[in-house]
Amino acid sequence: MHGSDGGGGGAGAGSRVAWPTDGLSFGGDYSPEQWPWEVVLDDMRLMREAGVTLVTLGVFSWVVHEPREGVFDFTWIDRMLDLLHENGIAVDLATPTAAVPMWLHRLHPEILPHDELGHPLAPGGRLGFCPSSPTFRRFALRIVEALAEHVAGHPAVRMWHVGNELGGGNARCHCPVSNEAFRRWVEARHGSVDALNTAWGMAFWGNSYSSFDEVTTPSGVTAHNPGQLLDYERFSSDALLECYRTEKAVLKRVTPELPVTTNFMVGLGPDVVDYARWAPEVDIAANDHYTYGPDPLRHQELAFSGDRMRGISGGGPWMLMEHAAGAASWHPINQPKAPGEMIRHAIAHLARGSDSVMFFQWRASRSGTEQFHSAMLPHAGPSSRRFAEITRLGRHLEALREVRGSVVVGARVALLHDDEAGWALKSGLKPINRPDYAATARAIHTALFERGVTVDVVPAWHPLEAYDLVVVPGLFLVSDADADAVRRFAEAGGTVLVTWFSGIVDVSNTVRTGGYPGAFRELLGVRGEEFSPLTDEQTIELSTGWRARRWAEVVSPVDAGTEVIASYRVGGAVDSGPPGEGAGGAAVPGGFGGVVADGVDGGLAVSRRPVGAGAAWYLASDLEPEGLGELLERLLDESGVRPAAAASAGVEVVRRAAGESSWLFAINHGVVEGWVEATGVDLLSGTAWEGRGVVPAGGVAVVREE
Ligand code: GLA
Ligand code: GLA
């Protein structure tokens, strides 16, 4: 009845759901309860001027709907829904459960989450509840049901937004309720105490349990068991998912016609919850994405997150639920977006498969924690560069409405990325105790991004048949089944690249013995015996001239077919540390005076093994960008992967398609004019492109291809 033509794809098992707006959705979080009525009326005029089509309403409005325990008052929401509807603006209505009312904190102080040291957090802020608290859940589901019953059938309401960023602040609780819930979760997963002791290896340090009642959350300052730490991450993700599921069940019962989502915080990973495993539970996968101003590669980080959203949402389209119009306010230093950057970022999200451009928030707050966070309508008001750009963006999105419902095409590269692997990496002591799970994935993604190659960043269990090249970057934990799928992919003719510290542990965070890299050893035809990580000052040169840092290992070819592509050059180790602590900039024959183990010098650094109709490559070190780029060019060549379109350096290119139509997105992140090969019409400028088009410095184009 509400909604539109149902063109969008759902995240859940291929379900088709009604997208909330006819065209691309444009708008943001809207908190009119913070403003007097005359400002709200002004908002309507300015939203129409900017072309806003959707707002997320009521995210923190619990105390407005239920000002006192059990007393409901929906006059404000009625008034807002009517007003927005009269102005042609659709509503993504939030359940208000991220904002625990102060009266509930007073009635039930025990619902507050407890930190690692067992201290309760303070009331105030948001998400002030233990995810496992039955008391909180009883109150939460009561307001959700009352709100849903009240607004059911209102034509402005097009979708549900459950809570807000579940786990953003309360993701790891150590209160007594969480401890009990963890015990029961562990019991359900492991079945018997013996199985649990084996899985976690509790014989080490004599930690074996005699009963599940002895299990606790890994709180305090003890050096906890890696298996316990990993399972606690899984438990915490599941507890938050249960919060979402229970609300969703109420919403589906009362308003079955409305799509239900919640805003993910998909970044580089590992994230606080396992979004890939959550994704089947949302009708439309939605993400909040914030760049970090000083990061010179922030547009690439944005692309990584977009490729990940697509990878976990079954190909999309997905929804950009929040990003910033300018500066955030939680970093130590918060830099605004440069002129044009906000539009480039918005179009880049669309290019990666979003069908919406939404912001936090519509109007900049005067008070409250985020009073200096940027907004679509800044403190300066509508007469501002920011609002002028927002209005320009609104016109762009109107010009692009035909793109809605199309999907990104041409991704022949899969990059396997899994939160569980990232969690396992930071659980317990390792050869390097500054885990940066996403670093290798991001370096490889950057190299492919710069070459215009479209990549799907997918969970480790994602089907691989559609790809030509599969990259396995530092997948520390892998299940037997997922490792086997990678082997079968290579046998069937695919090219695989596995990088260092992959396949080391199983799903219990237990080391796979017999030689590294455990799960991939046979596929790669190599066998490693020892790791030899480098200090920040140390680098190693390879026989190919490539330079590597961070990591080396003692690894040898063990299969007749394994070809050594690059080895550590004898004497290629350099320590540029201060004199007295290392070689002081000189190459040191034989390694770093014993720091790098014998056997690394001259040993295997990059290998290739033919496997069935395909091949498996191993990268045993962390190549600097130039060498990594050259290696990837060889792999792209071997697997026949081409860029989305030929383009000049600095121009991002991605293609979306639906049926017979296709659109090439071109975003020039550079400071000089660029070009892209395409034929068609740029929908943003109206210019016809014949074979090639120009993208001005900092500019964007979306070409409907002929
Ligand atoms: C100490 C302890 C051992 C072991 C080693 C290595 O020597 O006595 O049990 O923990 O450190 O960490
Ligand atoms: C998150 C939240 C918003 C807001 C923004 C900006 O994405 O969901 O409520 O706090 O960050 O900080």
Side-chain angles (χ1 to χ4, degrees):
M1 161 169 110
H2 318 129
S4 48
D5 60 17
S15 61
R16 291 184 73 77
V17 298
W19 195 262
T21 53
D22 291 330
L24 299 167
S25 310
F26 177 49
D29 276 25
Y30 184 39
S31 302
E33 69 269 44
Q34 296 173 8
W35 296 96
W37 191 247
E38 56 279 13
V39 174
V40 173
L41 294 179
D42 206 37
D43 285 336
M44 295 304 112
R45 178 178 65 80
L46 292 170
M47 282 186 190
R48 285 201 315 267
E49 190 179 320
V52 165
T53 59
L54 180 72
V55 292
T56 301
L57 186 68
V59 176
F60 303 110
S61 310
W62 188 340
V63 73
V64 179
H65 305 319
E66 190 179 2
R68 290 187 308 286
E69 205 264 281
V71 177
F72 300 103
D73 178 356
F74 295 116
T75 48
W76 173 81
I77 194 74
D78 286 344
R79 216 175 163 197
M80 280 316 309
L81 291 177
D82 291 348
L83 183 68
L84 286 159
H85 190 58
E86 282 162 22
N87 283 277
I89 297 163
V91 173
D92 164 35
L93 187 60
T95 68
T97 48
V100 179
M102 289 299 181
W103 56 252
L104 181 50
H105 281 308
R106 184 161 49 85
L107 279 178
H108 290 285
E110 75 280 9
I111 67 171
L112 283 166
H114 287 206
D115 69 12
E116 246 190 346
L117 297 177
H119 300 140
L121 305 191
R126 53 185 173 178
L127 293 163
F129 61 89
C130 158
S132 304
S133 164
T135 307
F136 171 76
R137 191 159 297 167
R138 184 159 47 83
F139 283 93
L141 296 185
R142 187 172 70 171
I143 184 61
V144 169
E145 181 169 40
L147 176 66
E149 280 175 350
H150 188 80
V151 303
H154 196 292
V157 181
R158 303 292 174 80
M159 68 186 290
W160 284 109
H161 178 292
V162 169
N164 192 62
E165 295 190 337
L166 284 148
N170 63 343
R172 301 291 179 268
C173 177
H174 295 274
C175 80
V177 171
S178 288
N179 267 274
E180 183 55 21
F182 182 54
R183 277 189 276 282
R184 302 289 75 95
W185 183 96
V186 168
E187 184 170 6
R189 181 176 173 95
H190 295 279
S192 73
V193 174
D194 282 350
L196 172 63
N197 283 326
T198 304
W200 289 359
M202 295 303 270
F204 190 80
W205 284 357
N207 285 161
S208 301
Y209 298 111
S210 63
S211 153
F212 282 110
D213 293 337
E214 294 158 8
V215 174
T216 61
T217 64
S219 62
V221 288
T222 302
H224 285 291
N225 174 294
Q228 179 190 13
L229 288 165
L230 173 60
D231 269 352
Y232 177 66
E233 301 280 329
R234 290 178 171 131
F235 154 77
S236 299
S237 181
D238 284 358
L240 289 159
L241 180 57
E242 202 50 27
C243 294
Y244 170 80
R245 273 197 191 125
T246 50
E247 288 197 29
K248 180 184 165 190
V250 171
L251 299 172
K252 286 290 179 192
R253 178 162 47 74
V254 181
T255 53
E257 71 284 6
L258 292 180
V260 180
T261 192
T262 186
N263 46 345
F264 290 173
M265 298 174 278
V266 168
L268 293 168
D271 297 310
V272 289
V273 304
D274 191 336
Y275 291 118
R277 288 175 175 83
W278 278 42
E281 305 279 346
V282 295
D283 293 320
I284 296 172
N287 196 35
D288 297 349
H289 185 269
Y290 290 87
T291 49
Y292 178 51
D295 177 359
L297 280 177
R298 54 193 178 275
H299 56 289
Q300 175 274 331
E301 190 269 325
L302 182 160
F304 185 92
S305 142
D307 291 344
R308 228 183 138 200
M309 274 307 288
R310 204 171 60 250
I312 68 178
S313 65
W318 52 274
M319 198 166 192
L320 175 66
M321 190 60 95
E322 291 180 25
H323 76 313
S329 62
W330 66 82
H331 298 299
I333 293 172
N334 296 281
Q335 298 181 325
K337 293 188 176 175
E341 186 172 11
M342 188 264 298
I343 289 181
R344 284 198 297 283
H345 285 189
I347 301 294
H349 283 292
L350 295 180
R352 305 272 153 188
S354 175
D355 265 358
S356 73
V357 175
M358 304 283 287
F359 293 86
F360 175 84
Q361 57 179 334
W362 161 251
R363 183 186 280 273
S365 298
R366 297 180 61 198
S367 342
T369 308
E370 301 200 279
Q371 62 186 157
F372 288 104
H373 195 286
S374 62
M376 299 168 80
L377 184 58
H379 288 150
S383 172
S384 56
R385 170 169 78 78
R386 186 64 60 213
F387 191 68
E389 263 197 52
I390 286 287
T391 306
R392 187 145 65 90
L393 175 61
R395 284 199 300 272
H396 280 349
L397 298 183
E398 187 51 37
L400 295 178
R401 73 191 277 125
E402 66 188 53
V403 167
R404 191 178 73 75
S406 66
V407 293
V408 173
V409 293
R412 314 303 305 266
V413 182
L415 194 149
L416 306 192
H417 198 64
D418 186 357
D419 280 335
E420 285 201 348
W423 287 339
L425 187 66
K426 69 184 179 96
S427 298
L429 302 174
K430 301 288 181 311
I432 297 180
N433 283 310
R434 281 177 307 182
D436 187 354
Y437 170 56
T440 306
R442 192 175 169 190
I444 290 172
H445 187 275
T446 300
L448 295 169
F449 176 90
E450 286 170 350
R451 285 161 179 78
V453 172
T454 309
V455 182
D456 284 345
V457 180
V458 296
W461 63 88
H462 192 81
L464 302 177
E465 295 81 49
Y467 302 101
D468 295 312
L469 173 62
V470 168
V471 181
V472 185
L475 190 69
F476 176 68
L477 173 152
V478 70
S479 70
D480 295 347
D482 295 343
D484 201 51
V486 173
R487 178 187 56 79
R488 281 185 275 113
F489 169 79
E491 275 170 2
T495 303
V496 172
L497 171 67
V498 176
T499 82
W500 58 280
F501 223 34
S502 289
I504 303 298
V505 297
D506 65 13
V507 294
S508 300
N509 215 356
T510 299
V511 172
R512 296 170 178 277
T513 51
Y516 309 122
F520 296 111
R521 193 174 63 229
E522 276 183 41
L523 170 69
L524 299 167
V526 301
R527 183 166 174 276
E529 294 183 24
E530 212 155 3
F531 304 126
S532 193
L534 312 185
T535 69
D536 290 346
E537 290 78 28
Q538 295 173 335
T539 59
I540 289 195
E541 195 180 76
L542 309 191
S543 53
T544 46
W546 302 338
R547 197 149 266 291
R549 50 177 68 245
R550 279 223 290 173
W551 191 263
E553 58 187 55
V554 182
V555 58
S556 325
V558 292
D559 183 84
T562 308
E563 182 192 350
V564 177
I565 303 287
S567 51
Y568 299 107
R569 196 165 67 72
V570 176
V574 170
D575 193 320
S576 55
E581 285 178 29
V588 183
F592 310 107
V595 175
V596 174
D598 290 347
V600 166
D601 245 4
L604 180 160
V606 181
S607 64
R608 178 184 185 276
R609 174 175 175 251
V611 181
W617 293 65
Y618 184 50
L619 171 56
S621 192
D622 197 11
L623 290 178
E624 296 207 326
E626 208 185 318
L628 187 61
E630 283 179 34
L631 173 64
L632 282 162
E633 274 170 19
R634 276 191 74 165
L635 288 160
L636 293 172
D637 246 23
E638 179 169 314
S639 52
V641 174
R642 312 273 312 135
S648 58
V651 181
E652 175 180 357
V653 281
V654 190
R655 181 172 284 107
R656 289 181 62 156
E660 299 292 290
S661 310
S662 68
W663 297 267
L664 189 74
F665 286 70
I667 303 149
N668 187 349
H669 298 283
V671 293
V672 294
E673 184 179 280
W675 56 264
V676 176
E677 283 184 6
T679 295
V681 177
D682 171 18
L683 298 175
L684 302 181
S685 66
T687 316
W689 285 26
E690 289 193 21
R692 183 184 270 227
V694 163
V695 192
V700 291
V702 180
V703 179
R704 184 207 289 135
E705 296 179 299
E706 271 159 27

